[in-house]
Amino acid sequence: MALDQSFVGRTYPATDPYEVGREKIREFAEAIGDSNPAYTDAEAAKALGHPDVIAPPTFVFAITFKAAGQVIEDPQLGLDYSRVVHGDQKFAYTRPVRSGDRLAVTSTIEAIKTMAGNDIIDIRGEVHDEAGEHVVTAFTKLVARRAEEA
Amino acid sequence: MTAQISYDDVEVGTELPAQSFPVSRATLVRYAGASGDFNPIHWNEKFAKEVGLPDVIAHGMFTMAEAIRVVTDWAGDPGAVAEYGVRFTKPVIVPNDDNGALIEVSAKVAAKLDDDARTVRVDLTAMSAGQKVLGMSRAVVRLA
């Protein structure tokens, strides 16, 4: 069943801040096998002009996707999450995420479409730091595959 | 932010050093823990097959994280990435054997965007088992 178009433009309340930890960045960098010292060595990060270690570019998805759960699990929207696959992902950075950041996410439904029976939903997650400065915007496209005909 | 590649030194068509990234079941378990994405299609073969997949598949976000390493290693500063987007076109299938899968990434400078901001667009190609696994994979990078 097609999703309700009236949800387009809806913005959900900002999430409680997520505090980015040095060891969480290290764990993520190790999980992707990336030994870039900017992720683990504060001096190396400072040599590049950053105040502390920075996170790999896709690290922030764990935070924005959790925030997108407000949309995905909104019972009024009625998305069937068991049929959802990740279609597209894009990030636009003002600056990299870094250790010590306290990041809040505001999620907005940008578009809802139905194509060939699949529901497609675009969610924009605006990430701000504790000072209210913009850090990164995450654009997430989710596709809820059509239920199989019985 | 200090990229180590100069804007003046690159031309449209400049190729970045290509890299290959191995991925095993153990890699996916580690990534699940680090990212918080515990969807069983990324570690449970029985579950993956029940939902119609050929086998366990890698997290799309894992593939996205590997692909951009070609850009961050080249630029020298991961903070030089101003934009990065991909389309997940095919899954990376990860068999439960000694070899696992390989994600092969190549990239080239597709456009010089802004002489003042010193930004270029890099187009990425990510392949696994002969299939293109990312589409429309592009990064905007701020060079020195």
Side-chain angles (χ1 to χ4, degrees):
Chain A
M1 197 172 71
L3 297 173
D4 184 349
Q5 281 291 328
S6 72
F7 278 76
V8 174
R10 180 171 298 205
T11 295
Y12 291 75
T15 57
D16 290 335
Y18 174 102
E19 185 165 330
V20 178
R22 180 181 304 257
E23 294 303 334
K24 190 65 193 178
I25 293 175
R26 178 193 300 275
E27 180 190 8
F28 187 88
E30 285 177 352
I32 61 171
D34 194 335
S35 59
N36 193 314
Y39 303 143
T40 52
D41 178 346
E43 293 309 313
K46 283 174 188 167
L48 295 169
H50 305 294
D52 203 332
V53 293
I54 62 171
T58 62
F59 174 90
V60 75
F61 182 76
I63 304 168
T64 58
F65 189 64
K66 196 173 171 206
Q70 289 172 295
V71 181
I72 295 163
E73 291 158 16
D74 184 339
Q76 293 180 316
L77 179 63
L79 195 66
D80 179 1
Y81 187 59
S82 71
R83 310 202 68 80
V84 165
V85 296
H86 198 175
D88 292 34
Q89 182 62 43
K90 184 180 169 186
F91 301 101
Y93 308 88
T94 296
R95 66 161 174 86
V97 168
R98 56 193 178 227
S99 175
D101 272 339
R102 287 172 54 81
L103 302 176
V105 187
T106 306
S107 299
T108 299
I109 298 178
E110 288 223 299
I112 293 173
K113 288 178 194 144
T114 302
M115 285 176 69
N118 300 322
D119 287 319
I120 302 167
I121 183 162
D122 288 307
I123 302 168
R124 186 180 84 241
E126 298 282 1
V127 182
H128 290 86
D129 66 15
E130 205 165 24
E133 301 290 331
H134 179 261
V135 177
V136 53
T137 302
F139 302 88
T140 303
K141 186 187 290 290
L142 300 175
V143 180
R145 289 171 298 153
R146 179 175 58 170
E148 305 292 333
E149 301 292 335
Chain B
M1 283 161 236
T2 328
Q4 278 146 30
I5 301 287
S6 168
Y7 179 80
D8 299 327
D9 289 346
V10 302
E11 295 167 11
V12 171
T14 297
E15 292 194 14
L16 282 58
Q19 294 190 56
S20 295
F21 304 101
V23 44
S24 69
R25 296 288 178 87
T27 316
L28 297 183
V29 170
R30 196 173 298 122
Y31 183 79
S35 68
D37 182 348
F38 294 102
N39 189 329
I41 59 174
H42 305 306
W43 50 269
N44 183 331
E45 189 166 328
K46 178 170 173 286
F47 183 91
K49 287 180 172 166
E50 277 171 8
V51 297
L53 293 166
D55 205 333
V56 161
I57 62 167
H59 305 72
M61 288 306 301
F62 175 83
T63 305
M64 188 177 183
E66 297 304 324
I68 197 66
R69 289 173 59 189
V70 166
V71 176
T72 55
D73 285 355
W74 173 72
D77 179 4
V81 177
E83 275 183 41
Y84 177 35
V86 306
R87 175 165 297 163
F88 301 107
T89 47
K90 293 271 189 212
V92 174
I93 298 157
V94 183
N96 186 26
D97 59 23
D98 292 341
N99 299 321
L102 199 62
I103 300 167
E104 298 169 277
V105 181
S106 58
K108 65 168 191 265
V109 175
K112 296 185 84 166
L113 298 176
D114 185 332
D115 290 346
D116 293 326
R118 305 178 82 76
T119 47
V120 298
R121 195 185 95 213
V122 174
D123 287 2
L124 295 140
T125 303
M127 307 284 293
S128 186
Q131 299 254 38
K132 193 172 174 182
V133 293
L134 297 179
M136 297 292 289
S137 182
R138 295 172 167 185
V140 174
V141 191
R142 202 175 290 113
L143 297 178

